[in-house]
Amino acid sequence: MTRQLPRFCMYEIISHPEEVSQTVIDSGVTIEVAERAQRIALWLNQSLLLAEEFEVAEEGPNAASIELWLRGLRDNKVHCFTASPSGKITVQTEDSTFAGDIIQSLAMYLGLRELNSESKFPNDESKMLEALERVKGLKDVDAKLQAEAASTAVLLKSVVIRLEDARILQNVEEMRKRLLQLKAINSDLIRNHEIRMNSNRDLSINLKELNIGVQRVAKLRAFKLETCDKYVTKNVFFHFILLVGKAATNAVSRCRTAIQDENSKALLAAMRNG
């Protein structure tokens, strides 16, 4: 007989910490669901490895509400999960990946396909905005290098023509002068090419970082991955993975638009509000 470990078995319930870092307090995600706290407690019992089942208090000041403090066994990070009687759920954590996993697991358990959320992760936001600024700078550098390459190409063509004229006229001194110019231009072209290669590599790294950040934003909104086979040509099909869910799709679209427009404020708003 085998038993599958709960999804969040590497997190243990702890008592309220004496000190909670300001980063944890300022970070987190909030959603609203039309579900009773008892059903959310059932999800917690299935998702956590507990010595005894968690039960929601039915009387007292904390009636029909949930407050759980968790600590990751891998990194010792502290997280807080709360649910109010009105269905407002908050995950206080500085780890946006953990928050996204919680949202995805809960949405799947409750059968929610659409779920809006408000999130704030200062560390992730600063990384995304810094990456966007680096992308701006790298694009400016690339534009300047392209302009320099175009002007250098014109100069190169002119020097080659004059070199050919000197060869026809058998002007050795002029040929030597033009060959030295060609050597200098060639060195400049090689140097600019190396700079562009390094710039493109850095641009790719930063765009990848932005893409990972956008994926985290999508995970904080309920979505469903569906697969389909699309007919392309005779007897040829491609297997596609589709992102389904208006909230997640809108969040991704707004983030990508902000990145394309290089709009830091729009990107920050999309990350927080979807």
Side-chain angles (χ1 to χ4, degrees):
M1 181 177 179
T2 60
R3 182 181 177 185
Q4 186 177 2
L5 288 173
R7 181 171 182 178
F8 301 102
C9 62
M10 295 301 292
Y11 297 88
E12 63 174 350
I13 296 179
I14 60 174
S15 57
H16 193 298
E18 295 181 0
E19 294 183 2
V20 181
S21 67
Q22 191 63 36
T23 306
V24 175
I25 296 174
D26 294 338
S27 306
V29 58
T30 300
I31 61 174
E32 291 189 6
V33 296
E35 293 290 346
R36 296 178 298 111
Q38 285 77 5
R39 192 175 181 198
I40 297 173
L42 291 175
W43 167 76
L44 287 170
N45 289 325
Q46 290 185 12
S47 301
L48 297 170
L49 193 60
L50 305 175
E52 56 184 21
E53 288 192 354
F54 175 80
E55 295 182 357
V56 180
E58 297 182 358
E59 297 179 354
N62 296 324
S65 62
I66 298 173
E67 180 177 342
L68 277 182
W69 285 88
L70 304 172
R71 180 173 60 207
L73 299 179
R74 297 186 184 93
D75 50 19
N76 284 327
K77 289 184 178 180
V78 175
H79 320 277
C80 180
F81 179 91
T82 61
S84 68
S86 62
K88 183 178 180 180
I89 297 174
T90 302
V91 182
Q92 283 183 291
T93 175
E94 59 183 305
D95 188 348
S96 59
T97 301
F98 170 77
D101 291 340
I102 288 287
I103 297 298
Q104 292 297 302
S105 177
L106 180 58
M108 186 178 297
Y109 178 81
L110 298 177
L112 300 176
R113 186 169 175 175
E114 295 292 341
L115 183 63
N116 290 312
S117 65
E118 294 182 0
S119 61
K120 184 179 180 182
F121 294 95
N123 291 339
D124 288 2
E125 291 169 1
S126 62
K127 289 180 181 178
M128 289 276 285
L129 296 180
E130 288 171 3
L132 183 60
E133 289 299 321
R134 289 194 294 269
V135 168
K136 288 182 185 179
L138 291 169
K139 285 184 177 180
D140 291 340
V141 170
D142 187 64
K144 291 179 181 178
L145 291 174
Q146 285 185 5
E148 290 180 4
S151 61
T152 303
V154 174
L155 178 60
L156 180 64
K157 183 178 179 180
S158 174
V159 172
V160 169
I161 292 173
R162 292 183 181 182
L163 174 62
E164 182 64 16
D165 291 342
R167 185 189 67 80
I168 294 173
L169 297 174
Q170 297 183 353
N171 188 337
V172 178
E173 290 298 326
E174 183 69 13
M175 288 178 62
R176 184 180 291 110
K177 178 181 176 181
R178 298 306 175 188
L179 286 172
L180 290 175
Q181 284 184 329
L182 281 177
K183 182 179 179 181
I185 293 172
N186 188 52
S187 298
D188 290 341
L189 286 173
I190 293 174
R191 183 173 61 254
N192 288 343
H193 178 68
E194 291 175 349
I195 293 174
R196 287 192 67 184
M197 284 183 60
N198 294 332
S199 178
N200 286 333
R201 183 175 63 250
D202 293 340
L203 180 62
S204 177
I205 291 172
N206 284 281
L207 288 175
K208 183 178 180 181
E209 184 176 343
L210 287 172
N211 186 55
I212 293 173
V214 171
Q215 291 177 13
R216 292 198 194 100
V217 171
K219 285 189 68 176
L220 295 172
R221 281 86 192 168
F223 69 87
K224 181 181 178 183
L225 289 178
E226 293 185 353
T227 59
C228 69
D229 292 321
K230 184 176 180 181
Y231 176 78
V232 180
T233 58
K234 185 177 180 181
N235 298 327
V236 177
F237 290 84
F238 279 104
H239 201 56
F240 289 88
I241 297 179
L242 304 177
L243 182 66
V244 179
K246 187 176 180 180
T249 304
N250 288 344
V252 171
S253 177
R254 289 185 61 191
C255 285
R256 288 179 175 172
T257 300
I259 292 171
Q260 289 175 357
D261 296 340
E262 299 178 354
N263 190 331
S264 301
K265 292 183 178 180
L267 178 59
L268 186 61
M271 292 176 65
R272 291 184 176 181
N273 304 315

